[in-house]
Amino acid sequence: MGRPVLLFLGFLIPGFAVPVPLALRALSNLHLSTSVVSRPAVVMEYSIHYIQQKVDHFGFKTDKTFKQRYLIADRHWKRDGGSILFYTGNEGDIIWFCNNTGFMWDVAEELKAMLVFAEHRYYGESLPFGANSFKDSRHLNFLTSEQALADFAELIKYLKRTVPGADNQPVIAVGGSYGGMLAAWFRMQYPHVVVGALAASAPIWQFEDLVPCGVFMEIVTTDFRKSDPDCSESIRRSWDAINRLSTTGAGLHWLSEALQLCTPLTNSQDVQRLKDWISETWVNLAMVDYPYESNFLQPLPAWPVKVVCQYLKNPSVSDTQLLQNIFKALNVYYNYSGQAMCLNMSEISTSSLGYLGWSYQACTEMVMPLCTNGVDDMFEPHTWDLKKFSDDCFNLWGVKPRPSWITTMYGGKNISSHTNIIFSNGDLDPWSGGGVTKNITDTLVAITIREGAHHLDLRANNAFDPMSVLLARSLEVKYMKQWIRDFYDSLRKKH
Ligand SMILES: *[C@@H]1O[C@H](CO)[C@@H](O)[C@H](O)[C@H]1NC(C)=O
Ligand SMILES: *[C@@H]1O[C@H](CO)[C@@H](O)[C@H](O)[C@H]1NC(C)=O
Ligand SMILES: *[C@@H]1O[C@H](CO)[C@@H](O)[C@H](O)[C@H]1NC(C)=O
Ligand SMILES: *[C@@H]1O[C@H](CO)[C@@H](O)[C@H](O)[C@H]1NC(C)=O
Ligand SMILES: *[C@@H]1O[C@H](CO)[C@@H](O)[C@H](O)[C@H]1NC(C)=O
């Protein structure tokens, strides 16, 4: 298995770029980050800790334990009237999420909050079986959202027991993307442990048929079309242009040169990989279409979709001209730094995300159907084929997905009996299609951010933040303060 992460990146299912990582690919040019990243306004000082967790919270057969990593930042924490903001870690290195969740750092002082960032099992350093964790389905058996939530609950209990002053404080779960789903589910399953949850860009309805499978790629397309209708049309036409050029050896050679690929295309599988890789690039750009220069997945300019679309203004050109334009557009994503020697279709840009772990999760619980029709979106048509998906998963991991388990476990759309969850979504974010974008009850509230891409609200304050995200953040803080007040009020009533 040369590239076991294929599912995660979308190459497992030929002909279709499957779910791009929820939390995405990242930082291929780490060494450049200081020059292009806007530096956080607050100092991020934290201490690193480990807690011994049971490998299996739900059975009694094994006593095995492992070390879960977590971070604590208590510079602004007040024992008197304070709070605890608890980041429910997702599919990657917790330090990377800590680095990219400036919002928590920005509000810590106002909420007198201790910040805790808990790493998700099987990611970063929190590996239940060390180097053997991904060896086979037996070792991976304990990689589920339920086990991860149980880890979080145990950790909070432990902190309350051992950190003087923490015992009588309200805890609020915060998370983005898959971590946002975990934050919401944590409040649903453990309402006695957290008083509320901020679930940013959490596609809790991207399961089964809760939302149409095409909505994700339609939003990607809308982002490009809003920038310029000729842009999405250029992309739509590029697939056939690639197909036509790929029919001859000379055409393959031309394409490899024109796109400056590190490895030349030699057969139809390579061509499919090329199309998947290009699709994934447009998806990633939609997700990180932030209003300022940033380096979440790649070093990128402000409003990168707009920059890309500058090169795709004319769909009615020859195939070769169109692909030369596509190359210039790809270069915005892969070569903003000016350092790329060639474009590498197999480059996995970050070690901060756990591709193996997410591939397994996508093949078990996290089955998120995606499809395209080429009409409402700018991609080649591709239906969602659960049978094929399941077979591919079986070949890869020796397990078959249980696509309806998540809705059985967490309620699907029937969640109105829960309380105190904020669902925030950016209109530009393709994952908003599977998110909660309408208020469900007074305490299950949806906040939409018109100019927001993937959990923009969780990022640090920035001078170029649009008004919509400033409003969203202030509303989020307002709700969190209310939960904290309610907690202390009920504590007083008890005494
Ligand atoms: C987090 O940020 C620090 C400071 O900028 C940097 O040194 C470190 O490499 C980052 N770690 C990750 C995993 O992103
Ligand atoms: C990346 O940008 C630099 C500077 O503009 C350029 O010299 C180089 O050829 C580009 N790389 C690719 C693969 O286009
Ligand atoms: C492309 O990326 C892969 C995976 O990171 C790496 O092994 C390979 O050396 C790269 N190829 C080139 C030509 O840079
Ligand atoms: C949600 O409730 C509706 C109406 O009561 C019901 O038809 C549906 O099966 C429920 N869904 C789940 C996942 O329980
Ligand atoms: C949900 O309700 C809150 C409070 O009334 C409001 O601020 C917010 O805009 C509503 N959200 C949506 C998506 O309508």
Side-chain angles (χ1 to χ4, degrees):
M1 210 158 43
R3 190 172 168 183
V5 296
L6 302 187
L7 177 68
F8 192 62
L9 298 179
F11 301 119
L12 178 68
I13 298 174
F16 189 55
V18 183
V20 188
L22 265 189
L24 336 152
R25 311 177 57 181
L27 308 173
S28 72
N29 291 304
L30 256 187
H31 54 287
L32 296 167
S33 62
T34 46
S35 59
V36 291
V37 163
S38 40
R39 300 198 71 75
V42 285
V43 191
M44 290 189 178
E45 272 174 354
Y46 54 81
S47 49
I48 301 177
H49 308 261
Y50 298 86
I51 176 179
Q52 211 69 32
Q53 291 277 11
K54 280 174 69 66
V55 167
D56 184 8
H57 292 292
F58 303 109
F60 294 84
K61 185 96 165 57
T62 169
D63 290 334
K64 274 204 171 18
T65 60
F66 72 100
K67 283 192 328 190
Q68 179 190 18
R69 182 168 60 161
Y70 63 98
L71 318 176
I72 289 196
D74 57 6
R75 172 195 250 254
H76 296 294
W77 182 48
K78 294 281 186 299
R79 290 185 187 194
D80 196 17
S83 64
I84 298 172
L85 297 186
F86 186 92
Y87 187 89
T88 48
N90 30 323
E91 73 279 27
D93 183 327
I94 194 61
I95 296 177
W96 187 68
F97 292 114
C98 169
N99 281 357
N100 282 290
T101 312
F103 170 76
M104 282 170 64
W105 297 85
D106 288 339
V107 301
E109 187 167 11
E110 191 174 356
L111 301 180
K112 303 177 196 163
M114 177 198 300
L115 308 183
V116 180
F117 295 86
E119 193 156 69
H120 192 298
R121 55 169 57 204
Y122 288 86
Y123 295 100
E125 291 184 4
S126 303
L127 303 176
F129 302 101
N132 288 332
S133 297
F134 304 98
K135 201 169 151 201
D136 52 37
S137 56
R138 206 163 51 84
H139 290 86
L140 280 158
N141 199 38
F142 308 96
L143 173 49
T144 63
S145 59
E146 300 92 298
Q147 299 276 11
L149 295 182
D151 290 337
F152 297 153
E154 287 283 7
L155 173 54
I156 290 171
K157 268 185 101 162
Y158 169 81
L159 292 175
K160 293 208 157 194
R161 202 166 63 234
T162 56
V163 179
D167 50 345
N168 267 330
Q169 292 224 339
V171 183
I172 294 173
V174 179
S177 203
Y178 168 50
M181 303 203 263
L182 292 172
W185 293 336
F186 195 35
R187 167 64 185 169
M188 295 177 192
Q189 304 264 311
Y190 295 89
H192 51 291
V193 177
V194 285
V195 298
L198 168 56
S201 296
I204 61 164
W205 290 343
Q206 191 75 47
F207 294 92
E208 292 191 283
D209 56 358
L210 297 182
V211 298
C213 60
V215 78
F216 182 95
M217 291 305 228
E218 283 169 28
I219 297 172
V220 175
T221 303
T222 303
D223 290 350
F224 284 79
R225 193 173 44 227
K226 274 201 296 210
S227 194
D228 181 351
D230 285 330
C231 185
S232 49
E233 189 53 30
S234 296
I235 292 172
R236 180 182 281 111
R237 293 189 188 183
S238 70
W239 313 119
D240 275 343
I242 292 175
N243 292 340
R244 280 189 292 267
L245 281 161
S246 305
T247 53
T248 67
L252 285 181
H253 181 75
W254 185 88
L255 264 176
S256 309
E257 296 276 305
L259 301 179
Q260 301 205 19
L261 302 177
C262 298
T263 318
L265 308 166
T266 55
N267 55 38
S268 60
Q269 270 170 335
D270 290 349
V271 174
Q272 191 56 58
R273 257 176 19 94
L274 171 71
K275 289 189 287 186
D276 290 345
W277 174 74
I278 294 175
S279 302
E280 183 189 315
T281 309
W282 308 141
V283 169
N284 283 354
L285 276 159
M287 276 196 277
V288 298
D289 196 18
Y290 295 130
Y292 43 82
E293 199 173 53
S294 67
N295 185 0
F296 188 41
L297 302 184
Q298 294 274 359
L300 286 175
W303 298 119
V305 170
K306 209 175 275 172
V307 178
V308 158
C309 284
Q310 282 171 8
Y311 299 105
L312 300 172
K313 284 176 176 306
N314 191 353
S316 310
V317 290
S318 66
D319 287 352
T320 52
Q321 184 60 55
L322 185 60
L323 284 159
Q324 274 160 350
N325 295 343
I326 291 281
F327 167 72
K328 288 181 197 145
L330 290 171
N331 236 342
V332 173
Y333 189 78
Y334 292 105
N335 196 20
Y336 183 56
S337 64
Q339 306 281 307
M341 305 301 288
C342 53
L343 301 190
N344 187 345
M345 292 199 296
S346 12
E347 195 162 75
I348 294 166
S349 27
T350 185
S351 53
S352 295
L353 282 170
Y355 295 86
L356 280 174
W358 186 253
S359 164
Y360 174 83
Q361 286 196 269
C363 273
T364 48
E365 288 186 330
M366 299 296 153
V367 185
M368 302 187 188
L370 295 190
C371 62
T372 48
N373 63 17
V375 177
D376 302 310
D377 56 70
M378 61 187 184
F379 298 92
E380 286 190 306
H382 204 276
T383 51
W384 167 249
D385 182 347
L386 179 60
K387 170 76 171 61
K388 172 145 193 5
F389 184 84
S390 179
D391 291 347
D392 289 341
C393 284
F394 192 76
N395 289 335
L396 198 53
W397 293 111
V399 295
K400 290 197 169 159
R402 264 207 280 169
S404 56
W405 174 241
I406 286 289
T407 53
T408 305
M409 178 82 184
Y410 302 116
K413 292 207 166 174
N414 299 348
I415 54 174
S416 58
S417 60
H418 299 292
T419 59
N420 292 2
I421 304 174
I422 304 165
F423 295 97
S424 65
N425 280 286
D427 286 355
L428 304 179
D429 181 15
W431 291 112
S432 67
V436 179
T437 50
K438 298 220 159 68
N439 286 333
I440 298 177
T441 65
D442 281 356
T443 66
L444 290 186
V445 291
I447 294 179
T448 53
I449 305 162
R450 198 150 57 86
E451 296 103 334
H454 201 44
H455 49 62
L456 174 65
D457 49 335
L458 290 192
R459 298 182 64 77
N461 262 319
N462 186 291
F464 294 97
D465 277 332
M467 188 52 77
S468 58
V469 78
L470 299 180
L471 287 172
R473 289 193 190 120
S474 73
L475 207 50
E476 289 162 6
V477 170
K478 196 188 99 183
Y479 281 108
M480 291 196 274
K481 282 183 165 168
Q482 183 63 47
W483 301 337
I484 294 169
R485 256 198 316 274
D486 291 347
F487 175 89
Y488 282 115
D489 283 350
S490 67
L491 209 59
R492 267 191 294 277
K493 276 186 205 125
K494 269 186 214 149
H495 294 141

